[in-house]
Amino acid sequence: SNQLDVPRSELLDLAVRIAKEAGDMLVAKRPRRPEIVETKSSPTDVVTALDHASEELIRGRIREARPADAILGEEDGLSDGAGRVRWIVDPIDGTVNFLYGLPEWAVSIAVEVDGEVVAGVVNVLPRKEVFAAEKGAGAYLLTTGERLHCTTGVPLEEALIATGFGYARGRRKVQAEVLAHVVPRVRDIRRVGSAAADLCALAAGRVDGYYERGLNLWDYAAGALIAAEAGARVGGLHGNPIGPEFAIAAAPELFEQLHDLLAPLDPARDA
Ligand code: IPD
Ligand code: CA
Ligand code: CA
Ligand code: CA
């Protein structure tokens, strides 16, 4: 049948419970100076033991509750499932902040049904803020119960824009060049260090726009739903959906302006 075995809201509840448990574990176990256990695509792209521990905890809890579901996680890849549900897990988004003790890192969990993200939670631990959204039902800061709305009517030159610089080797020079074109045309830039937290900040109206190139699905799956459910347009370049190639999020009018600023800068070029 076309019926899911559980209502979507139960999937969100489970995601929220697991994101909270993983977050509490991370806060409890974070040493004063976490150690880098591995670097991936570049020296910026670091992994700590707790990235792995968080993903292990999250995978274990999902499997206990829903053994047939697929799970895609940053550190352990894809485990296939038999059903229609896939979980997308970033066990720590903002590992560099976690490493240095800066207060913006998050546990991000999204739930896909038939390839569409229907629920997402981003637990920004150091801020004690849990953001969540269910497709079609709005985005909320669960900690206060507040419904989230992105800003509207902000022109590009008055917009505070969050961005990030993907870690892959060879991209950083182009990212800096793109940034040099953006900085004089906006109010200011924020590089917070967690794409998931950036998208939630956008949803909460704390920044007006966001763009980044080179994300992975686990970075944005939950945050993009939260931003969209807060009224943002979320997408890529030239009408493409948000993806690893490019991510833009803002109120629809600002999205257009940001897109038209970024598109000719050829962000697909490597250098
Ligand atoms: C990173 C963060 C960062 C973004 C990078 C991501 P990680 O995720 O979201 O803000 O700029 O592109 O890789 O590695 O800390 O989970
Ligand atoms: Ca990482
Ligand atoms: Ca991430
Ligand atoms: Ca991560």
Side-chain angles (χ1 to χ4, degrees):
S1 88
N2 231 6
Q3 282 299 102
L4 259 187
D5 54 351
V6 289
R8 286 169 169 193
S9 56
E10 276 184 36
L11 294 173
L12 179 62
D13 286 349
L14 180 61
V16 168
R17 275 205 305 280
I18 297 173
K20 284 183 177 169
E21 186 183 346
D24 290 345
M25 181 280 287
L26 288 168
V27 168
K29 294 213 171 143
R30 184 183 174 282
R32 200 173 315 138
R33 202 75 180 135
E35 253 175 71
I36 296 171
V37 295
E38 185 192 332
T39 58
K40 297 199 278 195
S41 57
S42 71
T44 341
D45 196 355
V46 298
V47 185
T48 72
L50 285 169
D51 290 81
H52 289 289
S54 175
E55 185 156 332
E56 211 172 287
L57 183 155
I58 294 166
R59 280 178 183 268
R61 289 290 181 255
I62 295 169
R63 269 195 224 103
E64 277 165 30
R66 302 191 46 88
D69 293 355
I71 307 173
L72 173 68
E74 178 178 4
E75 309 305 341
D76 295 321
L78 178 68
S79 26
D80 271 322
R84 296 161 55 193
V85 177
R86 181 169 75 153
W87 296 71
I88 301 162
V89 175
D90 195 334
I92 301 179
D93 186 58
T95 298
V96 174
N97 287 344
F98 182 78
L99 188 66
Y100 282 79
L102 287 167
E104 298 272 357
W105 50 271
V107 175
S108 174
I109 302 178
V111 192
E112 269 181 3
V113 175
D114 300 330
E116 183 193 29
V117 177
V118 298
V121 56
V122 174
N123 183 6
V124 189
L125 272 301
R127 300 182 74 99
K128 297 192 168 55
E129 291 186 327
V130 180
F131 298 89
E134 203 184 307
K135 178 108 191 160
Y140 290 86
L141 176 53
L142 293 186
T143 337
T144 61
E146 184 192 342
R147 179 146 189 190
L148 302 175
H149 301 282
C150 69
T151 61
T152 54
V154 180
L156 186 62
E157 63 273 15
E158 290 171 21
L160 186 61
I161 304 294
T163 189
F165 311 117
Y167 295 151
R169 212 182 278 280
R171 280 198 187 138
R172 304 215 125 201
K173 186 156 177 281
V174 169
Q175 291 180 332
E177 286 166 13
V178 169
L179 189 66
H181 280 88
V182 174
V183 171
R185 290 172 180 82
V186 300
R187 168 159 287 153
D188 209 345
I189 290 286
R190 292 292 179 269
R191 198 292 190 247
V192 162
S194 160
D198 286 336
L199 286 160
C200 293
L202 179 92
R206 297 171 186 170
V207 295
D208 302 302
Y210 168 73
Y211 77 92
E212 182 159 355
R213 179 182 170 244
L215 292 177
N216 289 112
L217 183 55
W218 46 78
D219 297 314
Y220 65 78
L225 178 66
I226 292 165
E229 287 294 326
R233 178 169 166 192
V234 178
L237 293 176
H238 310 297
N240 289 319
I242 186 173
E245 184 53 44
F246 216 80
I248 304 176
E253 330 83 70
L254 182 59
F255 181 105
E256 294 287 341
Q257 288 184 286
L258 203 48
H259 175 278
D260 294 351
L261 174 64
L262 293 164
L265 300 176
D266 189 18
R269 190 167 44 91
D270 270 341

